[in-house]
Amino acid sequence: MNYDFTIIVPVYNELGNLNRLEQLLNAYFQKASRQTCAILIDDGSSDGSTALIREISNRNEHIYSIIFSENSGKGAALKAGFEAVKSPLVGYMDADLQTHPEDFEKLFPFTKEYQLVTGWRKDRKDTGIKKISSLIGNGIRGLLIQDQIHDSGCPLKVIDSHYAKQIPMFSGLQRFIPAMILLQQGKIKEVPIPHYPRLEGVSKYSFKNRFLGPLIDCFGYIWMKKTYIRYNIKEKKLY
């Protein structure tokens, strides 16, 4: 089947959320404005998520799966998903269901003009510590990266697949997707979306990987920005 839009869902130890994720995806497929599928990417889960992902993929026509042999990180899961998609647009969301697939519809109206349309969780439904660490991390990242994004880590995005496939692989990739689109001279747009409380499972993030990790990764991005190779081919004749 030819799809217009593919949703990438990285999964790491989210067993309690997967059945509800399946229900929300199937409900969205029925009313989506574009022909849509999803790819669940298991990042080496150890809680039984892997087996359930296989079952969900086998029993649903529009849900596919990629299974990692070991935990490689969210950036690796996204990169694997970007490389696998064949649709002109690719999006992603987290399996914790603090964002819902139906809210992709809020982003679609801007995809003709912008190569990345990303959600902005203005009203966060997180714990106080999580809100503060995210606020500090976003502030420092914004100061160093200067991509003019309020909520770079929002796990609801729609990207032109050509641009997504050009994003290089490195740890912490998900924090720099807007900046990587800008490096390719693409245009980005933020759109406010709802944010929902986590009902099952636990967050995989702490102060260390919300603040210290991103701070170190920012310096890696600054180096990449200075050395990034960009070119446009006017014409070619091969073989």
Side-chain angles (χ1 to χ4, degrees):
M1 184 175 292
N2 293 323
Y3 295 103
D4 303 308
F5 180 53
T6 303
I7 303 170
I8 304 301
V9 189
V11 180
Y12 179 61
N13 290 347
E14 292 287 358
L15 183 62
N17 284 310
L18 288 178
N19 285 319
R20 185 162 163 256
L21 173 64
E22 177 186 14
Q23 294 170 4
L24 289 177
L25 285 172
N26 278 318
Y28 176 59
F29 294 156
Q30 298 300 315
K31 59 184 180 183
S33 60
R34 303 170 188 234
Q35 188 67 42
T36 301
C37 69
I39 304 176
L40 308 186
I41 303 179
D42 180 68
D43 185 21
S45 295
S46 58
D47 68 340
S49 292
T50 307
L52 184 52
I53 285 172
R54 290 193 183 102
E55 292 179 17
I56 291 172
S57 179
N58 286 336
R59 67 184 177 228
N60 289 278
E61 180 183 6
H62 303 301
I63 300 179
Y64 305 92
S65 63
I66 295 174
I67 308 295
F68 282 7
S69 59
E70 59 188 5
N71 179 240
S72 300
K74 186 176 180 179
L78 289 174
K79 183 64 174 174
F82 292 163
E83 291 177 347
V85 299
K86 297 181 180 179
S87 56
L89 291 175
V90 58
Y92 85 83
M93 59 175 286
D94 282 348
D96 62 13
L97 295 178
Q98 290 196 261
T99 52
H100 288 179
E102 64 186 25
D103 291 320
F104 282 115
E105 295 296 319
K106 294 179 171 64
L107 310 186
F108 283 147
F110 305 95
T111 55
K112 288 186 177 181
E113 184 178 356
Y114 297 91
Q115 285 69 51
L116 165 68
V117 187
T118 181
W120 177 5
R121 301 164 293 181
K122 278 190 171 184
D123 183 18
R124 298 285 294 266
K125 305 300 182 182
D126 289 324
T127 63
I129 293 176
K130 193 173 180 181
K131 287 180 180 179
I132 292 171
S133 61
S134 293
L135 183 64
I136 295 173
N138 272 324
I140 292 177
R141 181 203 52 76
L143 181 64
L144 294 174
I145 303 304
Q146 297 183 346
D147 57 10
Q148 309 303 313
I149 292 292
H150 298 88
D151 189 9
S152 180
C154 180
L156 197 82
K157 291 177 168 62
V158 177
I159 315 170
D160 182 308
S161 293
H162 173 76
Y163 284 76
K165 291 175 183 292
Q166 304 305 311
I167 297 174
M169 169 67 178
F170 63 95
S171 178
L173 165 74
Q174 68 276 9
R175 304 183 189 110
F176 299 95
I177 288 179
M180 297 307 301
I181 299 300
L182 289 174
L183 273 185
Q184 298 179 57
Q185 298 182 326
K187 296 170 62 180
I188 60 179
K189 170 76 174 178
E190 259 186 321
V191 178
I193 61 165
H195 191 232
Y196 306 93
R198 177 187 269 275
L199 300 181
E200 298 285 347
V202 296
S203 174
K204 311 306 184 294
Y205 294 97
S206 63
F207 178 78
K208 181 179 179 180
N209 56 25
R210 281 188 177 275
F211 176 65
L212 297 180
L215 178 60
I216 295 171
D217 290 340
C218 279
F219 293 107
Y221 169 80
I222 291 171
W223 171 84
M224 179 178 293
K225 183 177 180 179
K226 289 182 178 180
T227 58
Y228 187 77
I229 296 174
R230 184 190 300 112
Y231 58 88
N232 296 303
I233 296 175
K234 182 176 181 179
E235 62 179 79
K236 58 184 175 181
K237 181 180 180 181
L238 301 175
Y239 310 109

